[in-house]
Amino acid sequence: MKSMSNASAPLKTLSDAGVSIWLDDLSRTRIESGNLAELVENSHVVGVTTNPSIFQAAIGKGEGYEEQLADLAVRGVTVDEAVRMMTTADVRAAADILRPVYDATEGRDGRVSIEVDPRLANATEATIAEAKQLAWLVDRPNVMIKIPATLAGLPAITEVIGLGISVNVTLIFSLDRYKAVMDAYLAGLEKARERGIDLATIHSVASFFISRVDAEIDKRLDGIGTADAAALKGRAALANARLAYEAYEQVFATERWSALAQAGAHKQRPLWASTGVKDPAYKDTLYVDELVAPGTVNTMPEATLQATADHGEITGDTVTGGYEQARADLKAVDALGISYDEVVTKLEDEGVAKFEVAWNDLLATVTTRLQGAEVK
């Protein structure tokens, strides 16, 4: 195993191929130990993403949060406020670590994402208000506010972009919803332009989820149990992502986009999320090696980052030549009676529910810890 400090021809090759490597994790321990700075320095990490599950894991362990928890307990804050104070403090600190990357890339990278309260996923106005509040609380130019790509999230994306706030759109599973996300982004840029906001200050990524698609479709293929079904395992998620990239190329070649680009706008980059494999039978760098394309982001859990550094096989663009095969793979899955629309709808519903459960678990953990801090 190569050390992460020498990391890595594969990570450099990936970066040189136009893929921005972001870390899908954050904790106070990672910040205060210098680990995050080390990953930026030595492992080509140029961004960080967080979600409710990540914060639940970090704060649930509790390391590094004791002093802040004690102060919050003394002040008698609500549990919701305590969670926001802790999570935004971590995001602010991470943003400061990544600020040199942000400056060097003129805002393209060096980004840290924080998600709106997942309980608001189906409430447009509350999502807008929460996004504004989070941007104000973190108070760093390199923060990105994560908004889920639910039907209620789409108009929120437009309005928040229209206010000049950079957005990471999350929980995208379907091609149709992804196209709606890109439309919401362009509509937001048009609003910002009408308001006189400099479009060059706005950045966005669209987080297209990968491994969960295979996990759900593979389960159904196993249920069918034929040789044809087995041959399609591990193909649907890559096919879905490749066709998403094709849609991205098409949207950002339109006259509508061209007018915005001339006003200084940046493309909304596709971000491959959920890139740790869920099936141990698959190579652990599958969703890195096979999703290399210029102008994309791959946000990786640390295990996937380490695996890529050690034995990733980065062979150049593995996306743009594969559109016809991708269409054929999804068509073959459909021909076996597996409904694409049913799968992606189920995954979106589950994604929102999982983050809501994680958030509620986080609130419960912090409630207990605030009570413990008060006793002392």
Side-chain angles (χ1 to χ4, degrees), residues 45-319:
V45 169
V46 293
V48 169
T49 49
T50 69
N51 62 45
S53 299
I54 284 169
F55 281 126
Q56 195 276 329
I59 297 172
K61 288 176 187 165
E63 296 170 6
Y65 297 95
E66 296 86 354
E67 184 178 345
Q68 189 179 14
L69 274 162
D71 290 344
L72 292 166
V74 168
R75 288 174 51 213
V77 303
T78 66
V79 64
D80 287 86
E81 185 182 349
V83 166
R84 275 309 180 210
M85 290 300 103
M86 288 189 284
T87 57
T88 55
D90 284 355
V91 169
R92 187 161 46 249
D96 288 344
I97 291 168
L98 283 153
R99 182 60 186 266
V101 177
Y102 169 84
D103 291 337
T105 60
E106 298 182 333
R108 178 181 174 87
D109 286 310
R111 295 280 178 175
V112 184
S113 297
I114 184 169
E115 191 151 344
V116 296
D117 185 331
R119 296 171 297 181
L120 306 178
N122 296 308
T124 302
E125 293 304 321
T127 293
I128 294 166
E130 170 99 342
K132 289 160 65 176
Q133 172 76 355
L134 283 173
W136 177 82
L137 270 174
V138 176
D139 192 28
R140 294 294 185 271
N142 49 332
V143 69
M144 266 187 173
I145 308 303
K146 288 180 85 171
I147 297 176
T150 56
L151 288 174
L154 294 172
I157 292 158
T158 294
E159 180 58 24
V160 173
I161 289 288
L163 294 170
I165 296 169
S166 293
V167 171
N168 175 343
V169 183
T170 188
L171 289 175
I172 308 172
F173 295 96
S174 85
L175 294 167
D176 283 347
R177 186 61 55 83
Y178 177 45
K179 290 169 187 173
V181 164
M182 289 188 283
D183 182 71
Y185 175 61
L186 297 186
L189 290 174
E190 287 159 353
K191 271 195 172 190
R193 184 177 57 187
E194 287 166 14
R195 290 168 172 160
I197 295 169
D198 179 3
L199 300 190
T201 64
I202 303 170
H203 287 260
S204 184
V205 294
S207 296
F208 203 83
F209 278 55
I210 311 299
S211 65
R212 295 186 194 183
V213 174
D214 270 344
E216 181 62 32
I217 289 181
D218 284 358
K219 182 172 66 178
R220 297 177 185 218
L221 291 168
D222 283 339
I224 293 168
T226 63
D228 285 347
L232 286 167
K233 286 186 66 177
R235 302 184 68 90
L238 293 174
N240 201 35
R242 287 169 178 154
L243 295 177
Y245 192 82
E246 181 186 43
Y248 156 78
E249 290 184 309
Q250 291 167 347
V251 167
F252 290 100
T254 59
E255 288 184 15
R256 182 185 183 192
W257 165 249
S258 181
L260 291 163
Q262 286 168 17
H266 303 282
K267 292 178 181 178
Q268 181 187 55
R269 290 183 291 168
L271 178 151
W272 311 130
S274 184
T275 55
V277 298
K278 292 189 167 28
D279 186 336
Y282 297 153
K283 186 184 176 190
D284 52 4
T285 61
L286 175 68
Y287 302 129
V288 179
D289 298 348
E290 296 297 330
L291 289 175
V292 179
T296 58
V297 179
N298 193 311
T299 188
M300 309 177 198
E302 189 170 18
T304 304
L305 181 73
Q306 291 176 337
T308 302
D310 185 64
H311 53 262
E313 296 178 63
I314 311 303
T315 57
D317 185 339
T318 48
V319 172

